[in-house]
Amino acid sequence: MSVEKVVVIGSGPAGLTAAIYAARAALEPVVFEGFNAGGLMPGGQLMFTTDVENYPGFPDGITGPQMMSAFRAQAERFGTRLIREDVTAADFRQRPFAVKSDETTITAHAVIVATGARANWLNLENEQRLAKSGGGVSACAVCDGAMPIYRNQELVVVGGGDSAIEEGTYLTKFASKVYLIHRRDELRASKAMQERFFKLTEEGKMEPVWDSIVIDVLGEDSVTGVRLQNVKTNEQRDLPCKGMFIGIGHTPNTDVFKDHLKTDDKGYLRLAQPGRSFTSVAGVFAAGDVADHVYRQAITAAGSGCMAAIDAERWLSEQNLT
Ligand code: NAP
């Protein structure tokens, strides 16, 4: 079996940028673009985003799927081979490495892991329907919060950690008020974030709804409110709002690699050196949200994909494998 120079796992902005750079460096990359791993289709989380308005170079915005289609075309133009299958196993114990789907096994001298992270959802039927239709449910305030439908409207954010407070804080720029729905009466967020939240509460820009969970999202084509249940009293009530943002954490897609690569306590890949793409195994590189729980943006993912491809190329060259 012939050995590939580099295999990229993942087809979001990180994976496809890595492929573009690797292809242009004549490494003839093979990309496992996934099929439906972790509920993500090829193209990753951006396939669930309607308008991307913060990616430089698109002054009029672009939809997530259009953007990923352009990334893909650019990767293919320089000779990337795409395999539309989910990676189900990997063996990084010996070189060349092996990467397997149910149908295909590829061996490679270097691997770039760019499998991303998936936002956690409440998994309510109407939440999923309105998230997919762009009807006012989102798991990314920075991506979607500036949309006109949210301007001067009352919005809700679900969660009590740093993400929820960060999303809420960002939304106060546009919304008339942001309610923070939390299932307890104590925040999990860091002290600094809590201070920020309570200041915004004093200013009337945010308001906590303690001990409460969202049990349904109301509205046909767009959100008109959320149905809440108090977890202590079981009392239910409807809170009118024009948008619901979920900030209850992300899950990195690292299950397949966790026996081989070091991860942190949340499952994100641990980088061997800050600011570089090296993982705990020489020759295996990480790019994008799979190793980043802080920024999680298309532009930062793309940047780290570029870094991983350059690191992989230099590493292959040092090993005389290019
Ligand atoms: P997190 O710390 O795990 O917080 C998740 C929050 O969502 C918790 O308050 C949790 O409630 C709630 N939650 C979880 N599942 C829920 C469900 N099914 N229904 C309702 N509520 C639910 O996640 P995160 O806020 O995304 O933060 C992840 C990591 O990234 C943290 O280490 C954080 O510090 C870091 N981060 C940092 C920044 C920053 O510094 N700027 C920004 C974002 C994230 P309970 O509290 O009851 O468990």
Side-chain angles (χ1 to χ4, degrees):
M1 197 174 6
S2 69
V3 179
E4 304 294 337
K5 289 181 187 126
V6 61
V7 165
V8 179
I9 310 173
S11 56
L16 291 176
T17 302
I20 292 166
Y21 273 77
R24 286 176 57 79
L27 297 178
E28 300 168 321
V30 175
V31 174
F32 275 97
E33 61 174 344
F35 177 65
N36 199 21
L40 292 179
M41 57 183 95
Q45 291 189 91
L46 277 181
M47 300 303 286
F48 301 95
T49 304
T50 43
D51 294 312
V52 180
E53 294 184 320
N54 54 8
Y55 200 97
F58 298 93
D60 300 321
I62 181 169
T63 70
Q66 278 172 340
M67 172 174 264
M68 292 331 295
S69 162
F71 271 54
R72 196 171 185 273
Q74 197 169 347
E76 281 190 300
R77 179 178 153 213
F78 295 110
T80 300
R81 180 154 72 95
L82 294 152
I83 302 178
R84 184 163 286 204
E85 291 164 18
D86 289 337
V87 169
T88 50
D91 190 348
F92 299 152
R93 284 171 301 189
Q94 62 206 17
R95 299 214 299 255
F97 304 121
V99 178
K100 301 175 190 176
S101 70
D102 286 345
E103 295 89 22
T104 312
T105 296
I106 301 263
T107 53
H109 294 303
V111 175
I112 296 174
V113 178
T115 44
R118 55 192 188 274
N120 297 336
W121 294 92
L122 301 173
N123 291 320
L124 301 169
E125 202 179 317
N126 286 326
E127 169 207 47
Q128 291 302 302
R129 181 176 60 78
L130 288 160
K132 285 189 184 114
S133 68
V137 175
S138 165
C140 180
V142 177
C143 317
D144 300 327
M147 283 164 62
I149 54 168
Y150 301 123
R151 299 257 161 174
N152 299 316
Q153 303 294 340
E154 301 204 328
L155 306 174
V156 305
V157 172
V158 183
D162 282 343
S163 291
I165 308 279
E166 194 159 65
E167 302 243 315
T169 305
Y170 183 77
L171 291 171
T172 58
K173 294 182 206 295
F174 317 104
S176 57
K177 178 141 190 178
V178 178
Y179 293 94
L180 187 85
I181 319 287
H182 185 32
R183 61 185 178 183
R184 295 186 294 137
D185 61 2
E186 216 174 273
L187 294 172
R188 177 177 295 280
S190 59
K191 201 163 179 300
M193 284 290 200
Q194 294 205 24
E195 278 168 13
R196 191 191 287 186
F197 172 69
F198 288 117
K199 185 165 177 289
L200 286 164
T201 303
E202 275 165 29
E203 291 167 3
K205 293 180 180 162
M206 289 188 81
E207 185 176 322
V209 181
W210 302 120
D211 298 317
S212 296
I213 53 171
V214 174
I215 55 168
D216 202 0
V217 188
L218 312 173
E220 271 309 309
D221 299 327
S222 61
V223 174
T224 57
V226 289
R227 182 155 298 155
L228 302 177
Q229 181 166 333
N230 185 298
V231 292
K232 288 188 173 153
T233 62
N234 284 335
E235 186 195 324
Q236 293 184 6
R237 71 175 171 110
D238 292 347
L239 176 67
C241 64
K242 285 287 168 26
M244 175 173 82
F245 289 80
I246 307 293
I248 61 171
H250 284 72
T251 303
N253 297 311
T254 50
D255 284 356
V256 169
F257 314 108
K258 62 177 187 282
D259 292 338
H260 298 285
L261 301 176
K262 284 194 184 148
T263 56
D264 67 13
D265 57 353
K266 295 252 165 66
Y268 288 87
L269 293 186
R270 243 183 226 288
L271 297 179
Q273 271 183 47
R276 302 299 299 268
S277 66
F278 309 118
T279 66
S280 53
V281 173
V284 180
F285 304 85
D289 292 10
V290 74
D292 167 26
H293 63 73
V294 178
Y295 300 107
R296 298 193 306 242
Q297 300 300 302
I299 186 76
T300 50
S304 71
C306 157
M307 289 160 65
I310 291 174
D311 283 342
E313 189 206 355
R314 289 183 184 159
W315 182 83
L316 286 165
S317 162
E318 281 160 20
Q319 314 286 317
N320 295 319
L321 292 169
T322 45

